[in-house]
Amino acid sequence: MKRFIRLKGLAAFVIIVAVFGAFWFFFADTIVKNLIQKYGTRAVGAKVEVAAADLSLFPMGLKLDQLRVTDPESPMKNAVEIGRISLGLEPLNLLRRKVIVKEMIADGVQFGTPRKTSGAIAVKKIPGKTAEVGKAGKEKGGGPLAVKGPCGTVSLPSLQVPDVGKILQTEKLQSLALLQPLQKDIQSEKAKWQDALAKLPDKKQFDAYRAKIDKLKSAQKGGISGLLGSVSEVSTLQKDIQRDLDKIKTAQKDFSNKTASLKARLAEAKKAPLEDVARLKQKYSLSPAGLQHLSQSLLGSRLCRLVQKGAAWYQKLEPMIERARKTEKGHEVIKPTRGKGVDVRFKEYEPLPDFLIRTAKARIMLQAGDISGLIKNITPDQDVLGRPLTYTFTGTKLKGLQSIDLHGALDHVIPASAKDTGNLTLKGYQVKDMALSGSEAFPILLDSALVDLNMDALLKGSDINATLTSGFDSVKLSGGSAEKESPIKAALLSSLAAISRFHVKADIKGTLKNYTIDLTSDLDQAFAKAAGRAVSDQAVGFEKKLKEGVMAKVGGPLQATGKDMGGLNAIGQELTGRLNLGNGLLGNLKDIGGKGGLKLPF
Amino acid sequence: MLRLVAKLLKVLNSESDPSQISLAFCLAMVLGLTPFYSLHNILVLFLVLILRANLSAFILGWAFFSGVAYLLDPLFDRLGLWILTSAALQGLWTSLYNTTIFRLEKFYNSVVMGSLFFSIVLFIPLYIVSNIGIRRYRDHVLAWIEKTRVMKLLKASKLYHAYQTISGLRGAS
């Protein structure tokens, strides 16, 4: 027996196991803390920190102190900071490699807390790809202010009188684009017809014919012999003149065709300056109709950024409610979060997800007071559990907020028809000093208001459909001094003081990556009423200046083109003149022959 | 590296029973080819220590098979997936999936299953082949090698010097 068994080996095995056990006992807390920080940071894309972790065996559980999740968009802020988290684990399920948290309590949840050091992490740059940063554009040359946002370009109409000189320096005029080639074409056509005219029978030729006719007339008076001789000459002369006239007629027909298209182009070019004026006016001037959508331009980009932030966080957290999976020979295989290979799932007699937090209770600390929350069934395997994640957050009698209620469900029980819903209701929210519009061109500050807000959101697959309605009461708005401002801006700023209540409704539709926000508000009517007259006056003045500016640029080339066209018309007149000459000569020949033909004396 | 090769030569040339060296190689294969943090590796460690397997051979074999595992991982993944999804074995896997001990073993992972299956299938053949190989090496190759010019040159090399150093240390201890 001793030949095969090494009894000292048993002692060595016990020692090795004991060393591993002791290592785990003493370093488990640090290992867990480091694992949470490592994988949390990787998932969020910014530093995730835990001050301390405490893993206990009896009862099995984990406590975390000061969990800080950096906001990746703003690394000097924490997106979430949780004072203390305690998790109660089910030990038997842990042996089956299932992390089942019976109850999780998150105490002291805060959002947007400042950080002492940056929570940014080094990100590998993808060649050829640059980060898109939403920046408010600057107003140039009185043109529209463009705010590049995730919902496309939100343009603010110009509230200043646009500078016509700058506009005409940058804008291409359609009228000039038409005139320059037209002038060239007319000149080349003119040269071509001047050559053609030289080759056609001219006045000199017709004078020669006239001389012959005169000669025939005198021969007619010379008796019978002269008369007989002139009959054949008249016939020959008649044919010659007719042949020349045919040449001129053909040329005239060709000329008419060619010049007709040039004339049409000239007529179009003459209209073009007015069309340019209309186009530029439309682009740069604020029309009364433009005021109808001012609230969309002012408030839309702000709301759009909020939705974008929400969508980005949803996409980050999505793996927590539904993990990537595929099937192999009808079996579901799941890519493990770490390690190699794939995990194949088999039917469980008592199905349980690999990770589940049955109940999570949270106390969220806001400036207004505390909000309590309850989340149930947090798992990436809802299809295994058969129940969706539900959440409820409520708070009443808070400081500056009568009540808040947020509830909904993230239903991924059938992953192919995932449906997430959410409803947020705020009542009696006292707003103070809130920037309603961050636009530099037209900043609006909500000094104070009492807000009721309701938002219903539905996310089906990746299609989002949300409606936000809000009522602002006891409103005090300000937008800075109206002095030294344009009449429109001054009128709009003055109108802010008269607004005591307004409503905003927003419909968000599309997909998470490509959505549109349709925002309407009765603010538009108030703006239109206040600034409508000023807008009309500005538009009239701007149009007048635009006309003068465009004509100053286009007038010269237009006049020159007209002059060239006049030259071409002279060629047409010349052709007509030659045709008349020839026709006159033919008439004279007929006189020699008389009405019935050539008169014979017998 | 030279020291590792020298150690291997030392083990092969030692008076240890070939079956102890072969057993050590086979157990090293299981530990090296399968993911380290697997439940069965506790059993492997236990067997290595309790049975009279040659520990030097085990450590060398473990280092060797761990390197081989990196190359064979894609093969293990496919093999494991094929076994786990094979229709005939569904009943067995389903029952094992519902037991705590096999869940801890993580047999349902394609790489764990593939590598464990591969090493278990090769366990006995490797044992027999290495047993025969070591015996033949000692009976024929070692004596022949000793006489070759190459060996004479080798004896004058750094490798042999390293080998001698280890032998000397062992002898001293």
Side-chain angles (χ1 to χ4, degrees), chain A residues 140-197:
Chain A
K140 286 178 183 174
L145 180 84
V147 181
K148 183 78 180 167
C151 313
T153 303
V154 181
S155 295
L156 268 183
S158 172
L159 303 178
Q160 306 288 336
V161 180
D163 186 332
V164 171
K166 282 183 182 172
I167 292 171
L168 293 178
Q169 270 176 10
T170 52
E171 287 286 346
K172 276 189 176 177
L173 293 179
Q174 184 63 23
S175 38
L176 276 182
L178 287 173
L179 276 171
Q180 282 157 356
L182 177 63
Q183 198 173 5
K184 273 186 183 176
D185 289 350
I186 290 172
Q187 283 168 355
S188 102
E189 204 66 26
K190 191 177 163 187
K192 188 182 143 192
W193 281 102
Q194 274 167 346
D195 286 348
L197 268 184

Side-chain angles (χ1 to χ4, degrees), chain A residues 522-536:
Chain A
D522 44 12
L523 273 177
D524 289 330
Q525 289 157 17
F527 288 147
K529 196 177 167 187
R533 179 68 189 268
V535 168
S536 301

